[in-house]
């Protein structure tokens, strides 16, 4: 197969983005021996008696267990290329209740040139999810990274305002009624809580927040509108307190229609409890809800996954958790084996620990 270029989300301790290329090599298929064939015939009744376990490579669905506790979903990130490769689609269908487009709805993917939209991959994801009754999180309308080059060249306030509004109306309008949440603005804060330098803040100041959220609410009144960021993992961190909490409360008092705060959750080992505590800090704002939107945890730390799950479960405003991918080798930082399934699509100890916790 040809190499597929993969764009990644923001590294939580370094704002620059890196680009990786990799090739997915299908496993070789070996014809069974006569002995294997005979054994398979003998075991066929046993195999057919429990096909769902083999289908999902996990004993229970964390999504079903999470919903049984009153939450909206346990979801994952994916896109057309993933859904058409290996067992990704089967795993997602059986174990997760929601999908976030990993790249296909970002500005440079959808609208690389002014007036030109590439709908193929985003449409595929939306259709796949809709047909299977999976919730969809739209990601993302306004983000400084993976932004179409022509947008970065705009220096006029009125022009940039129109471009933001038109983009949101076009994309949000196409998927109106199908997208449950939208990450309206992604990663707008520096680590000290100030506004990140971007074409949006340079030309419009913080007024781009109102422009974007107003356009999103007008376009799809039923969608839940989120502001999303990374490194919201420690309750006393400036990006949390001076950045997200202070500004969201201010913007809500001004009537800007922000429904929720998303904390991405790209964690290192040992940070699970910190994120659980931060969920409560974010929920203490005037927003209606919060969510963990892009969870991955380095070094196979089951305790951290349970801590985050418990943190969301114990906070009424925390409605959902989304992990950023299905299996380790497809993660944007695969070196730490940060996800819930291994390279062979087997549920890992991380996944089973969540199941055990939610089954209590």
């Amino acid at each position: 197969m040809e190499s597929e270029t993969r764009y990644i989300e923001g590294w939580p301790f370094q704002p620059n983005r890196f680009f990786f290329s990799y090739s997915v090599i299908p496993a070789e298929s070996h014809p069974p021996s006569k002995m294997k064939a005979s054994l398979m015939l003998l075991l066929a009744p046993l195999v057919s008696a429990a096909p769902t376990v083999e289908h999902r490579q996990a004993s229970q669905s964390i999504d079903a267990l999470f919903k049984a506790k009153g939450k909206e979903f346990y979801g994952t990130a994916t896109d057309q290329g993933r859904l058409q490769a290996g067992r990704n689609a089967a795993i997602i269908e059986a174990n997760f209740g929601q999908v976030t487009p990993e790249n296909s709805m970002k500005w440079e993917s959808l609208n690389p040139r002014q007036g030109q939209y590439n709908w193929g991959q985003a449409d595929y994801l939306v259709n796949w999810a809709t047909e299977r009754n999976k919730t969809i999180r739209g990601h993302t309308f306004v983000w400084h990274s993976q932004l179409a080059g022509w947008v970065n060249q705009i220096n006029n306030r009125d022009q940039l305002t129109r471009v933001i509004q038109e983009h949101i109306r076009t994309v949000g309008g196409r998927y109106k009624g199908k997208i449950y949440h939208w990450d309206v603005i992604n990663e707008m804060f520096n680590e000290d809580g100030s506004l990140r330098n971007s074409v949006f803040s340079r030309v419009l100041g913080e007024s781009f927040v109102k422009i974007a959220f107003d356009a999103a609410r007008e376009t799809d009144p039923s969608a839940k509108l989120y502001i999303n960021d990374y490194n919201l993992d420690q309750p006393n961190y400036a990006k949390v307190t001076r950045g997200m909490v202070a500004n969201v409360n201010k913007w809500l008092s001004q009537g800007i229609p922000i429904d929720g705060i998303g904390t991405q959750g790209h964690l290192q080992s040992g940070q699970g409890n910190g994120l659980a505590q931060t969920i409560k800090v974010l929920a203490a704002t005037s927003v209606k809800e919060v969510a963990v939107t892009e969870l991955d945890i380095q070094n196979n730390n089951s305790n951290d996954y349970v801590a985050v799950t418990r943190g969301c479960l114990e906070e009424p405003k925390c409605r959902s958790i989304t992990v950023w991918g299905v299996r380790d080798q497809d993660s944007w930082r695969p070196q730490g084996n940060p996800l819930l399934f291994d390279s062979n699509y087997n549920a890992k100890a991380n996944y089973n620990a969540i199941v055990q916790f939610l089954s209590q």
Side-chain angles (χ1 to χ4, degrees):
M1 297 174 64
E2 294 182 356
S3 294
E4 176 190 2
T5 300
R6 174 134 163 17
Y7 296 93
I8 64 174
E9 285 288 319
W11 168 251
F13 298 105
Q14 182 172 346
N16 294 327
R17 298 306 193 261
F18 299 86
F19 296 85
F20 297 87
S21 294
Y22 61 89
S23 296
V24 180
I25 303 174
E28 294 181 359
S29 176
H30 301 283
S33 65
K34 292 182 179 179
M35 183 178 295
K36 289 180 179 177
S38 299
L39 183 60
M40 289 174 67
L41 287 172
L42 289 171
L43 295 178
L46 297 176
V47 174
S48 62
T52 53
V53 175
E54 180 179 336
H55 176 65
R56 64 165 154 253
Q57 298 296 303
S59 59
Q60 290 180 272
S61 163
I62 55 174
D63 177 63
L65 291 169
F66 208 40
K67 286 174 176 173
K69 299 287 188 179
K71 299 303 182 179
E72 290 181 347
F73 55 76
Y74 222 116
T76 190
T78 191
D79 251 326
Q80 181 177 2
R82 298 273 185 249
L83 290 170
Q84 294 178 326
R87 296 176 184 167
N88 283 293
I91 296 291
I92 294 170
E93 190 166 356
N95 297 288
F96 296 102
Q98 171 267 345
V99 291
T100 298
E102 190 172 11
N103 289 297
S104 64
M105 288 189 187
K106 292 169 182 172
W107 203 318
E108 74 171 6
S109 298
L110 271 183
N111 184 206
R113 284 172 289 278
Q114 190 167 12
Q116 175 187 330
Y117 280 86
N118 300 327
W119 299 112
Q121 292 192 38
D123 280 357
Y124 183 95
L125 176 82
V126 171
N127 292 336
W128 185 92
T130 301
E131 290 167 1
R132 291 159 179 81
N133 198 31
K134 301 296 182 184
T135 302
I136 306 167
R137 183 181 199 91
H139 180 77
T140 173
F141 284 140
V142 176
W143 186 31
H144 71 278
S145 186
Q146 289 179 243
L147 179 64
W150 66 271
V151 180
N152 259 322
Q153 304 305 313
I154 298 174
N155 294 308
N156 179 272
R157 183 181 183 89
D158 291 340
Q159 182 185 5
L160 186 57
T161 298
R162 287 194 302 272
V163 164
I164 292 172
Q165 291 170 336
E166 289 171 3
H167 181 74
I168 292 174
R169 289 165 184 163
T170 301
V171 179
R174 184 178 184 86
Y175 301 121
K176 182 179 180 179
K178 297 180 178 180
I179 303 290
Y180 187 63
H181 305 91
W182 270 108
D183 290 331
V184 177
I185 295 178
N186 193 44
E187 300 179 5
M188 68 169 292
F189 293 113
N190 291 316
E191 299 307 297
D192 64 359
S194 60
L195 266 62
R196 179 191 294 276
N197 180 28
S198 71
V199 64
F200 305 111
S201 62
R202 286 195 305 272
V203 177
L204 296 169
E206 69 176 56
S207 69
F208 79 90
V209 177
K210 176 174 173 57
I211 292 165
F213 275 93
D214 283 351
R217 176 64 83 225
E218 175 190 346
T219 300
D220 191 349
S222 65
K224 297 186 177 184
L225 308 182
Y226 269 69
I227 181 169
N228 191 51
D229 219 316
Y230 65 92
N231 277 1
L232 305 180
D233 311 323
Q234 298 298 324
N236 297 317
Y237 191 47
K239 193 173 190 178
V240 174
T241 58
R242 292 202 297 268
M244 188 64 78
V245 170
N247 281 288
V248 166
N249 278 331
K250 177 184 68 177
W251 293 327
L252 285 169
S253 72
Q254 296 170 356
I256 297 176
I258 302 171
D259 295 317
I261 298 173
T263 171
Q264 293 181 8
H266 296 300
L267 304 183
Q268 302 297 316
S269 179
Q271 291 185 321
N273 285 322
L275 178 53
Q277 295 168 26
T278 308
I279 287 171
K280 294 186 178 299
V281 173
L282 298 175
T285 64
S286 300
V287 293
K288 298 173 183 176
E289 59 186 61
V290 298
V292 180
T293 58
E294 304 180 19
L295 184 63
D296 53 30
I297 307 175
Q298 293 285 279
N299 301 319
N300 287 321
N301 199 312
S302 299
N303 291 336
D304 284 317
Y305 267 105
V306 171
V308 173
T309 304
R310 179 185 289 110
C312 185
L313 193 62
E314 291 179 350
E315 171 49 57
K317 281 189 179 181
C318 186
R319 303 306 303 143
S320 62
I321 297 174
T322 301
V323 293
W324 204 246
V326 173
R327 61 176 186 159
D328 288 333
Q329 76 177 57
D330 295 333
S331 169
W332 67 278
R333 48 179 192 159
Q335 67 280 2
N337 297 317
L339 297 176
L340 300 180
F341 289 80
D342 66 21
S343 59
N344 293 317
Y345 299 99
N346 296 310
K348 294 164 48 181
N350 295 341
Y351 185 98
N352 294 328
I354 297 171
V355 169
Q356 184 177 4
F357 168 69
L358 291 176
S359 298
Q360 295 174 0

